[in-house]
Amino acid sequence: MATEGKTIDALSQFELIPVLGPVGRAVGFTQSTAHMLLAVGLISALMLFGMRRRAVVPGRLQALAEIFYEFVEGLVIGQVGQEGRRYFPFVFALFMFILFGNMLGLFPYAFTYTSHIAVTFGLAVLVFLTTTIIALVLHGRKFFGYFFPEGAPLWLAPIIIPVEIVSYLSRPISLSIRLFANMVAGHVMLKVFATFVVLIGSFGALGFLGALLPMAVNVALIGFEVLVAFLQAYVFAILTSIYLHDAVHLH
């Protein structure tokens, strides 16, 4: 674990470093980009090889692929309704990309690309633009009625409309910060307690015994991070589905 003097350096793990030598530096190809490509490759391999046989009694890969598929499908239909089937691939791709990004970052020497606000904000803006375009295509000018509920007193319009607009525009900010902040906080905690293990353990036999407590905490944190990795992908997917529901049904 990296330390500077007596100060724990828990933020260096988020630093972007070009890979692939001069070519990587020239095009800005970092370990974050590499892990994104790795995640896409793993997701594609899981779905292609897992569903290739389509056995009645599924093997491990097929069962895992079907679990992810049915989970997200149920989530989308439950929030949007049967009309949401057409948007299932979009939500499924988001869920898997975020989940694999979160999980990959738990491996030694790996990088969590969802710990960068540029990535999470980009995904959030994609969701925001997609849902807004869908609403405009489906409802046209009626979409703007979303910012002033039908039946509300007209004299409340100067208050309701600005509040609704601000609330709508804050969607990508809340989506991106929630994911980014949870990933950063978890990895900082992991590195801090892992550094405690090394520092305390260097004090000899007594230090070795003292290092058992932060090691136990770190083991518990890893289990907690696995849970958070899934939950954050789930939260991002379900909020996307809720926004799609608003776009499709305009309420």
Side-chain angles (χ1 to χ4, degrees):
M1 296 296 103
T3 60
E4 294 180 356
K6 295 182 179 180
T7 303
I8 298 174
D9 181 13
L11 298 178
S12 60
Q13 60 183 311
F14 306 114
E15 182 181 355
L16 293 176
I17 302 173
V19 295
L20 300 181
V23 176
R25 287 193 294 271
V27 298
F29 189 88
T30 66
Q31 81 273 37
S32 178
T33 315
H35 280 79
M36 289 184 201
L37 293 177
L38 175 61
V40 171
L42 290 174
I43 295 167
S44 301
L46 171 63
M47 301 310 296
L48 290 174
F49 290 104
M51 300 304 295
R52 182 174 56 180
R53 294 180 59 187
R54 298 182 182 179
V56 176
V57 180
R60 293 179 181 177
L61 279 180
Q62 183 178 336
L64 183 61
E66 288 180 355
I67 287 171
F68 283 136
Y69 185 98
E70 292 173 1
F71 175 77
V72 179
E73 182 186 41
L75 186 153
V76 174
I77 293 176
Q79 293 297 324
V80 186
Q82 292 299 323
E83 305 94 326
R85 288 187 179 276
R86 68 178 69 179
Y87 310 115
F88 162 75
F90 175 65
V91 181
F92 183 77
L94 282 173
F95 174 82
M96 297 296 284
F97 184 72
I98 293 171
L99 177 63
F100 272 65
N102 295 347
M103 291 295 190
L104 280 175
L106 296 175
F107 288 90
Y109 304 106
F111 185 83
T112 311
Y113 53 77
T114 49
S115 65
H116 273 236
I117 189 67
V119 175
T120 60
F121 187 70
L123 294 174
V125 168
L126 175 63
V127 170
F128 177 79
L129 292 178
T130 300
T131 53
T132 302
I133 291 171
I134 290 172
L136 286 170
V137 169
L138 292 179
H139 304 286
R141 288 182 296 178
K142 290 183 179 179
F143 163 71
F144 297 101
Y146 179 84
F147 302 106
F148 188 71
E150 186 177 353
L154 189 61
W155 63 271
L156 285 177
I159 300 175
I160 294 177
I161 292 176
V163 169
E164 290 292 335
I165 291 175
V166 171
S167 175
Y168 190 82
L169 294 178
S170 68
R171 286 180 174 184
I173 298 174
S174 61
L175 263 182
S176 59
I177 291 179
R178 182 183 294 106
L179 176 57
F180 151 77
N182 276 279
M183 291 300 103
V184 169
H187 284 278
V188 167
M189 290 292 292
L190 281 173
K191 190 159 188 177
V192 167
F193 280 95
T195 305
F196 284 160
V197 174
V198 176
L199 292 178
I200 298 175
S202 65
F203 294 153
L206 184 61
F208 176 77
L209 293 175
L212 292 178
L213 178 58
M215 180 178 290
V217 173
N218 221 41
V219 171
L221 281 174
I222 290 174
F224 181 71
E225 277 297 285
V226 172
L227 176 62
V228 170
F230 175 81
L231 283 178
Q232 288 305 309
Y234 168 74
V235 168
F236 202 100
I238 197 169
L239 286 176
T240 300
S241 299
I242 291 172
Y243 298 156
L244 284 169
H245 171 273
D246 292 345
V248 171
H249 301 285
L250 211 59
H251 61 77

